[in-house]
Amino acid sequence: METLNGIDIQPKEELNFDEMAEDDANSNGDDDDTADTAWFPIKISDLDNFQKVYMAGTDLDADHPGFKDPKYRKRRKLFAEIAICFKQGQTIPRIKYTPEEIETWGKVFNELKRIHDRYASAEYKQNFRELEKEAGYRADNIPQLEDISVYLKKKTGFQIRPVAGYLSPRDFLAGLAFRVFHCTQYIRHSSDPFYTPEPDCVHEIMGHMPMLADPSFAQFSQEIGMASLGASEDDVKKLANCYFFTVEFGLCVENDELKIYGAGLLSSAAELKHVVNGIRAGQICLQKFNVEDVCNTECVVTSYQKRYFFNESIEEAKMELRNLAASIKKPFELRYNPYTQTVQTLSSGGKILDIAKQIKGDVFLIANAIKKIQGNENENDSDVDFDQICQFLDVQKM
Ligand SMILES: [Fe+2]
């Protein structure tokens, strides 16, 4: 095991989930329902144990643009230390970015913003405007992760956690289960502003953050994460593919036009143009999202994708994902409790009954709300079919 200023960095290859389960036996409290599955976090603070990264910014590949730049490598070490020392619940340290870093950011920001206006989804653009007002999204300012995290918490309950480098798909998806998004804080090397061989803050801030402020998209992201907890390696790979071809490279239909919501495209001007031009010329493979094809499509990380997928809506993608999640073999179902920020195992009749009681309270609330809205003669909510809602929830209109 190598160390970084006294902090242990364990290469991912050495990780052994059985050992981790032993190490973290106490983190599952007295609930032994999960004993037969791969270890997974039960409470949000368990994510502190998931910070095992492939590389921590000190270990750049020889073809990385910053490989021969000692100043850049020293800077990356600082970002790695911040991420590795971070504990759940702490404030994310603010970074004083250098003029060189801000210049790199500004070049990409201006180019991306220009093409987003035309091709990004409506949800993305709406939330981007809010981030400009609330989190300092500007060409001459790299937004602070803490400010974005505060904004996301207000919008969807998502929060950011700084990360030193690549996490395994299992660890990354586990964070989503708790509405925690692992986010890099360093920026790409200034010699090549429009290229990065790894996720950086441009990718995260310009690509991911605006969509995480959308409630439906946030729920979709969390459901992928929940499905991954305790799943086999094969199933985690399928879920990672679903994540990749939606959250990273997904397209959607908006007023009969294709729009983009995937962060990998929204943070790469070159690939975004490749997709747009390819669609116009009929030269890229674009197909409707379906789990079977998505799971059998290779995720390319060093070049453009060979195939892209679109959804009619996020709700449609959710239904596909739920079918996949239902096919994953686990001895119990899991549910997230946002009040305690813990994952509950629905492994007994008593536990299921507790959840049913909570849901009954919500259903009563909905029935009562419908009654009040329909009793208000001034209310003109003709877009909503209340009979359909009642039928869906199997409740009587009052
Ligand atoms: Fe990403």
Side-chain angles (χ1 to χ4, degrees):
M1 186 181 295
E2 58 176 309
T3 66
L4 176 71
N5 287 0
I7 301 159
D8 292 340
I9 303 168
Q10 189 173 12
K12 197 66 201 174
E13 291 72 21
E14 291 177 18
L15 282 183
N16 177 321
F17 276 99
D18 293 336
E19 280 174 20
M20 284 172 71
E22 239 170 72
D23 292 346
D24 295 299
N26 291 335
S27 60
N28 286 1
D30 56 5
D31 192 343
D32 59 2
D33 294 332
T34 60
D36 295 334
T37 59
W39 185 87
F40 59 86
I42 293 289
K43 54 185 188 296
I44 198 164
S45 58
D46 290 342
L47 295 177
D48 290 343
N49 302 325
F50 266 51
Q51 300 308 303
K52 313 293 192 296
V53 293
Y54 284 110
M55 55 183 191
T58 50
D59 207 14
L60 305 181
D61 287 340
D63 57 354
H64 190 287
F67 181 72
K68 289 183 180 159
D69 181 347
K71 229 170 77 188
Y72 182 76
R73 295 184 73 145
K74 194 174 164 206
R75 190 81 172 138
R76 289 289 298 264
K77 209 167 157 181
L78 166 78
F79 287 106
E81 283 175 14
I82 289 173
I84 292 165
C85 294
F86 184 85
K87 295 285 175 245
Q88 191 58 43
Q90 290 179 340
T91 300
I92 305 170
R94 304 183 89 82
I95 301 295
K96 188 166 171 33
Y97 287 101
T98 65
E100 190 181 15
E101 287 169 335
I102 296 170
E103 193 187 340
T104 302
W105 161 267
K107 284 179 188 165
V108 194
F109 181 95
N110 287 330
E111 173 69 358
L112 288 174
K113 195 155 185 289
R114 197 175 58 76
I115 43 182
H116 286 172
D117 286 343
R118 172 77 184 84
Y119 300 111
S121 71
E123 292 83 3
Y124 177 92
K125 287 192 286 192
Q126 169 60 32
N127 295 333
F128 193 95
R129 283 191 287 273
E130 291 179 7
L131 283 159
E132 285 178 312
K133 282 188 203 136
E134 296 194 32
Y137 271 50
R138 293 194 316 270
D140 64 351
N141 178 59
I142 303 179
Q144 297 291 332
L145 295 189
E146 178 62 22
D147 293 340
I148 304 171
S149 194
V150 167
Y151 164 78
L152 289 178
K153 271 188 206 167
K154 273 194 301 186
K155 294 281 294 194
T156 58
F158 250 93
Q159 57 185 296
I160 294 173
R161 183 178 175 116
V163 68
Y166 272 117
L167 289 175
S168 71
R170 183 185 289 281
D171 292 0
F172 181 81
L173 296 179
L176 296 181
F178 294 81
R179 296 208 175 203
V180 170
F181 193 91
H182 286 87
C183 202
T184 54
Q185 206 169 13
Y186 55 81
I187 193 162
R188 60 197 62 186
H189 193 257
S190 60
S191 63
D192 202 350
F194 294 100
Y195 170 75
T196 173
E198 60 192 333
D200 73 337
C201 70
V202 175
H203 169 70
E204 320 279 24
I205 294 172
M206 294 297 284
H208 284 291
M209 299 302 125
M211 286 307 294
L212 284 175
D214 178 68
S216 184
F217 182 86
Q219 192 189 357
F220 175 72
S221 304
Q222 185 179 27
E223 286 190 22
I224 297 182
M226 287 298 294
S228 76
L229 300 182
S232 68
E233 285 306 316
D234 265 4
D235 288 327
V236 168
K237 190 178 172 311
K238 288 179 188 170
L239 292 163
N241 273 39
C242 280
Y243 175 89
F244 195 79
F245 288 109
T246 53
V247 177
E248 293 289 357
F249 290 97
L251 292 92
C252 59
V253 179
E254 209 176 273
N255 301 326
D256 296 328
E257 250 191 289
L258 280 165
K259 296 286 178 179
I260 292 164
Y261 69 89
L265 293 175
L266 291 168
S267 61
S268 164
E271 186 156 5
L272 198 152
K273 286 175 190 166
H274 162 76
V275 169
V276 169
N277 294 335
I279 291 171
R280 281 193 191 126
Q283 284 173 344
I284 62 162
C285 182
L286 174 71
Q287 68 178 86
K288 185 104 184 274
F289 183 90
N290 73 83
V291 163
E292 200 184 337
D293 287 340
V294 162
C295 292
N296 289 320
T297 300
E298 182 196 356
C299 304
V300 182
V301 289
T302 50
S303 175
Y304 299 152
Q305 302 309 311
K306 293 176 184 141
R307 186 183 292 190
Y308 297 87
F309 294 88
F310 70 92
N311 323 105
E312 295 292 338
S313 67
I314 291 293
E315 292 307 314
E316 184 191 70
K318 263 186 217 161
M319 290 317 296
E320 283 278 331
L321 173 69
R322 283 170 189 162
N323 289 336
L324 171 62
S327 74
I328 294 176
K329 288 192 175 58
K330 290 184 203 173
F332 43 74
E333 194 50 79
L334 296 170
R335 181 176 190 265
Y336 187 64
N337 183 332
Y339 306 112
T340 57
Q341 298 187 307
T342 55
V343 171
Q344 300 171 313
T345 53
L346 305 187
S347 55
S348 69
K351 290 179 180 180
I352 294 168
L353 184 61
D354 285 344
I355 305 293
K357 283 176 186 167
Q358 290 173 32
I359 292 170
K360 192 176 178 187
D362 284 342
V363 170
F364 180 79
L365 207 72
I366 291 168
N368 220 11
I370 290 173
K371 180 184 163 193
K372 288 181 180 175
I373 288 174
Q374 291 191 320
N376 181 355
E377 288 174 6
N378 297 326
E379 188 64 45
N380 185 8
D381 216 343
S382 56
D383 288 350
V384 180
D385 184 340
F386 289 117
D387 288 333
Q388 199 181 22
I389 297 176
C390 292
Q391 206 179 0
F392 176 69
L393 293 171
D394 201 16
V395 294
Q396 298 291 318
K397 271 206 292 184
M398 298 160 92

